[in-house]
């Protein structure tokens, strides 16, 4: 019997499962799956979080605290020492200096190995300790007369999971890179990576010693920049794709007869601004189409976005259809209900409110209004789109303060709204003005409208920055404002995002202020209160039966009480500029002159001081957003909360914003000319995570 020679191993394809790799069985592949690594491509795009330099030996004398290094030397002394904690201390010298290895957990074997005269090689981070520089629990090995070779590459450190070692992941990546077919020419249907992408991946999975660790750490190495461009392109393309999918679907056209809108205008106590008129005209044109509207409305705090939401809902109502308005917090949803119900009621239209904290009976009753179509405009939190709520004929979805929702949530919502093959029109409103290039990337699937004008008669808010030691003066000021018939917010903030601690801080502050300001009516609102309780306090504050509202940052978005003209923000130095601007936007909504006091805890850091002075100098959200970007160091990610963009692995929207114009241009071109390539790019970066784009 002849045995056929084994065929030479076929080159790995990117879509091959990781089990193609030698040594990867079901157990290992399960562990890899926990890191979202399922195929070869996922593995290659699982990039190191940082690097260690084990390619050279650092003389002990030139060790610096806070840096990791390889050292080699002879053990001088090794003893168990009894300090606050028992530890094993081992002095090592190499001619240039001495350093201590300190181990709090140690075995007899270790004590027997590390005896005076032994030669050791260690890797660890040097820190200042009781005996000078010390390495705590370093990796070490005792070496003989012939020193083992050093690493010939910088050592990548990957995000890992239990049961998967760095070493294992490193060798898997090397294996996968080695199996890639690099000779294959570009053919139709080929799934090859571009040659420069392969090069960049090879470099990043195992940089040679000449590669600058600093460049890698700052993310500015050309290999990282090449991948960043590709990654941003992937996100951009996937949003364009989501847009195209949406546009292939039909929406119910909502032609505007103008009648309801006209009556709405005449019942409002103010004329619309020119910007509001313009935006309403843009919406009217969009809504009359059978192609679903996908529009982003950007407008600074206080620019009057709620009126636009109402107008859009009225256009839909005029065409006999239902609308939904989704807000990020219960507080804001409740407030919208209180504002919008009286606007719509005179026109013979009803609203419903759906939040997560409603009592069962109340919720049922509201759900019935929604299902029967009795409610024309349905207002709520994300509870709107969770089970139980059935719309009668939803044709328009409005999302307020979209920056609080991630892109996933936004796109998932579209799917929920789908009915009989049709999709609702969508209006997304946000007050976080991000620079235009960023906006175009974060919202590539949307058309942009801008409210670039504040309603008339607003006096700009005057902002002062005051240290905690002058707190009493501030309290005096609150007292004076309230005695003059105006209302005040006092906002408590904490570093940790713990709702419980923040609530506690607000309770304590309310108590203390109550002792100082005995003649004021003080209210308290925080995230721990029951929904009804919160709603009651807010209604009292709106009605003017509370003078001073002590609050956590739950009031950050949307809350609108025009008679409130003073805002105090405690520990303002802890908040980002965007958040401070949002908070400050709660005052300056009426005709009286408003003030914002930023209380800080000295000493202020340099960026802390710069940030607060930006707030003092500007009231313009766009200016503040630009400054915010400048003051963030490179590498400080602009989070999902600000942009709606998700999970970037290599790219950083702020650091790499120079790449964005190129990303936008390339994306448009690729989407048109080479959809297959566009698909490959999306797949390699977003892979299993693109379900949302298919909404
Ligand atoms: P935001 O854009 O922050 O959501 P709002 O919709 O809450 O702003 O509006 C802020 C305040 O301005 C509200 O009291 C609203 O009634 C008022 N407002 C809106 N449009 C106008 C206008 N054209 N003229 C005067 N006041 C207006
Ligand atoms: Mg608003």
């Amino acid at each position: 019997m002849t045995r056929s020679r084994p065929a030479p191993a076929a080159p790995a394809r990117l879509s091959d499962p990781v089990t193609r790799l030698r040594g990867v069985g079901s157990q290992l592949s399960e562990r890899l799956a926990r890191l979202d690594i399922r195929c070869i491509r996922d593995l290659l795009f699982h990039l190191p979080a940082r690097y260690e330099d084990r390619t050279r030996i650092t003389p002990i004398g030139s060790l610096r605290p806070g840096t990791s290094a390889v050292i080699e030397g002879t053990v001088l002394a090794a003893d168990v020492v009894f300090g606050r904690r028992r530890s094993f201390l081992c002095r090592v010298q190499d001619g240039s200096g001495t350093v201590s290895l300190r181990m709090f957990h140690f075995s007899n074997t270790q004590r027997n190995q590390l005896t005076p005269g032994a030669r050791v090689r260690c890797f660890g981070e040097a820190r200042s300790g009781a005996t000078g520089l010390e390495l705590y629990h370093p990796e070490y090995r005792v070496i003989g007369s012939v020193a083992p070779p050093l690493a010939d590459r910088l050592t990548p450190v990957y995000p890992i999971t239990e049961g998967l070692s760095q070493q294992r992941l490193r060798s898997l990546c090397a294996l996968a890179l080695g199996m890639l077919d690099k000779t294959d020419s570009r053919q139709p249907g080929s799934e090859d990576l571009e040659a420069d992408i392969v090069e960049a991946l090879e470099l990043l999975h195992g940089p040679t010693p000449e590669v600058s660790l600093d460049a890698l750490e700052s993310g500015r190495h050309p290999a990282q920049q090449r991948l960043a461009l590709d990654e941003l392109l992937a996100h951009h393309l996937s949003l364009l794709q989501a847009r195209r999918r949406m546009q292939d679907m039909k929406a119910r056209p909502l032609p505007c007869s103008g009648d309801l809108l006209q009556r709405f205008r005449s019942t409002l106590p103010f004329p619309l601004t020119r910007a509001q008129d313009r935006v309403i005209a843009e919406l009217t044109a969009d809504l009359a189409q059978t192609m679903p509207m996908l529009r982003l409305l950007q407008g600074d705090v206080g620019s009057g976005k709620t009126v636009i939401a109402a107008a859009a809902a009225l256009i839909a109502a005029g065409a006999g259809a239902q609308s939904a308005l989704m807000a990020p917090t219960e507080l804001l949803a409740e407030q919208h209900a209180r504002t919008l119900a009286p606007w719509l009621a005179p026109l013979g239209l009803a609203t419903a409110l759906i939040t997560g904290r409603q009592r069962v009976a109340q919720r049922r009753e509201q759900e019935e209004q929604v299902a029967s179509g009795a409610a024309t405009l349905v207002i709520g939190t994300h509870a709107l789109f969770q089970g139980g709520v059935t719309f009668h004929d939803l044709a328009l979805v409005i999302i307020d303060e979209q920056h609080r929702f991630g892109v996933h949530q936004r796109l998932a919502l579209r799917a929920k709204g789908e009915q009989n093959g049709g999709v609702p029109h969508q209006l997304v409103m946000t007050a976080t003005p991000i620079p235009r290039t960023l906006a175009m990337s974060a919202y590539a699937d949307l058309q942009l409208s801008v409210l670039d004008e504040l309603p008339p008669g607003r006096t700009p808010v005057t902002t002062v920055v005051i240290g905690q030691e002058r707190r009493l003066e501030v309290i005096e000021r609150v007292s004076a404002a309230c005695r003059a018939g105006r209302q005040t917010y006092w906002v408590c903030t904490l570093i940790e995002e713990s709702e419980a601690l923040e609530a506690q801080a607000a309770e304590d502050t309310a108590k203390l202020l109550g002792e100082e300001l005995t003649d004021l009516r003080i209210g308290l609102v925080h995230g721990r209160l029951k929904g009804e309780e919160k709603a009651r306090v807010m209604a009292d504050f709106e009605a003017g039966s509370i003078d001073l509202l002590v609050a956590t940052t739950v009031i950050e978005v949307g809350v609108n009480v025009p008679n409130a003209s003073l805002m105090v923000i405690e520990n303002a130095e802890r908040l980002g500029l965007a958040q401070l601007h949002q908070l400050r936007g709660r005052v300056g909504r009426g005709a009286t002159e408003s003030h914002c006091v930023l209380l800080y805890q000295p000493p202020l850091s340099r960026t802390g001081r710069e940030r607060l002075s930006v707030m003092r100098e500007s009231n313009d959200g766009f200016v503040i957003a630009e400054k915010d970007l400048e003051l963030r160091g490179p590498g400080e990610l602009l989070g999902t909360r600000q942009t709606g963009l998700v999970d970037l692995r290599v790219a950083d929207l702020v650091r790499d914003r120079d790449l964005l114009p190129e990303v936008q241009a390339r994306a448009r071109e690729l989407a048109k000319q080479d959809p297959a390539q566009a698909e490959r790019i999306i797949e390699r970066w977003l892979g299993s995570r693109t379900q949302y784009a298919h909404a």
Side-chain angles (χ1 to χ4, degrees):
M1 204 171 88
T2 55
R3 284 177 92 195
S4 58
R5 288 224 324 265
R13 308 211 55 178
L14 294 170
S15 55
D16 284 348
V18 281
T19 45
R20 253 302 303 268
L21 299 172
R22 196 167 3 95
V24 182
S26 64
Q27 193 187 38
L28 188 52
S29 72
E30 262 166 44
R31 288 177 185 164
L32 288 166
R34 274 189 247 139
L35 297 169
D36 270 332
I37 301 174
R38 292 182 178 81
C39 62
I40 304 277
R41 177 180 29 231
D42 298 337
L43 180 65
L44 294 178
F45 283 85
H46 186 74
L47 293 162
R50 58 187 182 84
Y51 297 89
E52 289 167 353
D53 188 353
R54 299 169 183 241
T55 63
R56 59 204 167 84
I57 292 169
T58 302
I60 291 175
S62 53
L63 279 179
R64 293 279 161 274
T67 55
S68 298
V70 181
I71 57 152
E72 206 172 279
T74 309
V75 176
L76 273 184
D79 302 288
V80 175
V81 294
F82 299 86
R84 216 161 4 120
R85 247 178 104 187
R86 195 172 82 112
S87 61
F88 181 50
L89 192 70
C90 176
R91 297 287 290 168
V92 177
Q93 98 173 354
D94 72 351
S96 73
T98 52
V99 68
S100 302
L101 320 181
R102 193 185 286 275
M103 281 161 254
F104 293 106
H105 311 281
F106 52 92
S107 62
N108 279 336
T109 323
Q110 286 176 312
R111 286 177 62 182
N112 293 336
Q113 280 178 331
L114 294 171
T115 48
R119 280 192 64 71
V120 283
R121 182 182 287 174
C122 315
F123 178 82
E125 185 190 326
R127 289 194 252 166
S128 305
T131 64
L133 279 186
E134 301 188 351
L135 306 180
Y136 293 84
H137 287 279
E139 289 171 40
Y140 74 90
R141 63 200 277 192
V142 175
I143 54 181
S145 49
V146 192
L150 286 155
D152 59 352
R153 301 290 171 113
L154 297 180
T155 308
V157 182
Y158 294 94
I160 46 169
T161 181
E162 217 184 296
L164 182 67
S165 69
Q166 290 293 345
Q167 192 47 50
R168 195 66 200 263
L169 203 49
R170 269 175 225 150
S171 61
L172 287 177
C173 288
L175 203 57
L177 277 168
M179 284 171 74
L180 279 188
D181 180 1
K182 287 161 207 145
T183 58
D184 203 3
S185 60
R186 194 143 302 274
Q187 288 161 1
S190 143
E191 54 163 18
D192 292 347
L193 293 170
E194 297 82 315
D196 57 343
I197 296 261
V198 175
E199 250 170 64
L201 289 173
E202 277 172 338
L203 187 139
L204 294 175
H205 283 293
T208 48
E210 339 49 278
V211 175
S212 149
L213 206 55
D214 285 345
L216 288 176
E217 261 156 25
S218 69
R220 293 197 182 275
H221 190 279
Q224 286 162 313
Q225 289 286 295
R226 176 66 187 92
L227 292 188
L229 180 75
D230 206 60
E231 181 176 32
L232 290 170
L233 197 53
H235 278 272
H236 205 91
L237 285 167
S238 96
L239 286 173
L240 289 182
Q241 206 175 59
R243 174 179 185 80
R244 228 179 10 259
R245 279 207 189 87
M246 255 310 255
Q247 290 181 330
D248 285 344
M249 304 209 216
K250 288 267 175 292
R252 171 171 167 190
L254 305 170
C256 175
S257 67
D259 179 44
L260 271 176
L261 268 189
Q262 205 42 53
R263 281 163 61 204
F264 174 55
R265 282 171 199 271
S266 63
T267 55
L268 277 179
F270 44 75
L272 298 187
T273 62
R274 260 169 316 170
Q276 284 171 324
D277 274 328
R278 192 189 62 233
V279 171
I280 291 174
E282 288 165 356
L283 297 179
T284 308
D286 282 2
L287 291 172
Q289 310 293 315
T290 49
M291 190 165 79
M293 171 174 83
L294 292 170
R295 192 166 279 280
L296 171 70
L297 172 59
Q298 262 193 7
D300 207 349
V301 265
S303 58
K305 293 186 290 296
T306 317
V307 169
I308 305 292
L314 287 174
I315 296 172
Q322 222 172 14
S323 308
L325 168 60
M326 181 171 84
T329 64
E330 319 236 326
L331 213 57
L332 188 48
E334 285 152 9
Q335 180 189 268
H336 275 324
R338 283 195 303 277
T339 306
L340 291 162
W343 282 353
L344 268 57
L347 309 173
L349 301 173
T351 55
L353 176 67
I354 305 270
T355 70
R357 298 210 196 176
Q358 277 168 329
R359 285 207 223 119
V360 180
Q362 196 186 4
R363 170 81 176 254
R364 286 267 159 71
E365 187 236 326
Q366 296 288 301
E367 281 173 5
E368 268 162 35
Q369 302 279 305
V370 178
S372 71
T376 305
L377 172 59
V378 188
I379 301 163
T381 55
H382 58 278
L384 271 182
F385 293 95
Q386 283 160 359
V389 185
T390 318
F391 289 91
H392 183 66
D393 54 354
L394 182 67
L396 168 66
V397 173
I398 306 166
I399 303 175
D400 193 17
E401 304 293 355
Q402 123 75 23
H403 62 287
R404 286 303 202 89
F405 299 103
V407 76
H408 289 265
Q409 268 169 304
R410 174 157 65 79
L411 296 176
L413 257 184
R414 280 186 195 161
K416 292 253 171 72
E418 264 175 63
Q419 284 174 338
N420 323 322
V423 290
H425 296 279
Q426 204 179 86
L427 173 64
V428 171
M429 312 200 292
T430 178
T432 299
I434 52 179
R436 201 175 150 71
T437 42
L438 290 196
M440 285 178 60
S441 275
Y443 304 111
D445 57 330
L446 303 172
Q447 224 95 63
L448 185 65
S449 287
V450 183
L451 275 185
D452 48 8
E453 182 188 356
L454 291 183
R458 300 270 171 85
T459 27
V461 181
T462 312
T463 300
V464 291
V465 178
I466 293 182
Q468 273 290 358
E469 73 281 0
R470 287 167 59 199
R471 193 182 166 92
L472 276 182
E473 271 171 56
V474 176
I475 293 177
E476 192 40 53
R477 211 165 160 158
V478 171
S479 164
C482 293
R483 271 186 277 118
R486 295 198 295 273
Q487 290 166 282
T488 301
Y489 294 100
W490 187 294
V491 183
C492 304
T493 61
L494 283 184
I495 306 177
E496 289 157 85
E497 286 215 4
S498 151
E499 206 182 60
L501 290 176
E502 217 175 44
Q504 186 60 47
E507 272 173 27
D508 296 346
T509 306
K511 204 160 141 255
L512 287 172
L513 289 174
E515 285 161 13
E516 306 267 357
L517 298 164
T518 46
D519 54 341
L520 295 189
R521 294 162 300 174
I522 300 182
L524 172 67
V525 44
H526 56 65
R528 279 298 174 100
L529 293 183
K530 286 222 180 70
E532 296 159 43
E533 174 76 2
K534 257 195 285 190
R536 195 177 51 70
V537 176
M538 286 315 296
D540 285 350
F541 190 60
E542 264 171 69
S545 50
I546 288 177
D547 304 304
L548 168 61
L549 183 65
V550 178
T552 58
T553 50
V554 293
I555 60 146
E556 175 187 342
V557 284
V559 171
N560 181 39
V561 180
N563 189 49
S565 64
L566 175 59
M567 162 158 294
V568 180
I569 305 176
E570 274 201 81
N571 302 311
E573 77 279 8
R574 293 173 182 170
L575 299 184
L577 283 178
Q579 205 177 5
L580 285 171
H581 182 62
Q582 283 279 342
L583 279 169
R584 182 174 60 183
R586 301 312 109 214
V587 293
R589 297 187 155 237
T592 41
E593 205 191 337
S594 293
H595 296 268
C596 177
V597 177
L598 303 177
L599 265 181
Y600 68 88
Q601 186 71 57
L604 271 183
S605 67
R606 200 172 56 85
T607 34
R609 176 166 314 134
E610 278 179 59
R611 271 208 224 130
L612 295 186
S613 68
V614 169
M615 290 301 293
R616 195 172 46 211
E617 277 150 30
S618 180
N619 271 300
D620 181 332
F622 285 90
V623 172
I624 292 174
E626 284 285 357
K627 290 280 182 201
D628 199 13
L629 287 192
E630 272 170 40
L631 291 178
R632 284 164 200 266
E636 214 178 316
L637 276 179
L638 191 65
T640 312
R641 255 187 69 180
Q642 270 94 25
T643 60
L645 253 194
V646 280
D647 287 351
L648 291 170
R649 301 193 209 176
V650 184
D652 174 328
L653 268 186
V654 177
R655 183 192 64 212
D656 302 330
R657 71 182 137 149
D658 296 350
L659 298 176
L660 294 177
E662 188 183 343
V663 167
Q664 282 151 16
R666 277 221 215 171
R668 246 173 284 133
E669 193 187 295
L670 268 180
K672 223 183 284 148
Q673 322 240 310
D674 195 351
Q677 173 67 359
E679 193 64 54
R680 281 196 288 268
I681 294 176
I682 294 174
E683 180 69 29
R684 72 174 68 130
W685 287 101
L686 295 159
S688 52
R689 293 188 281 170
T690 46
Q691 288 97 339
Y692 70 84
H694 299 267

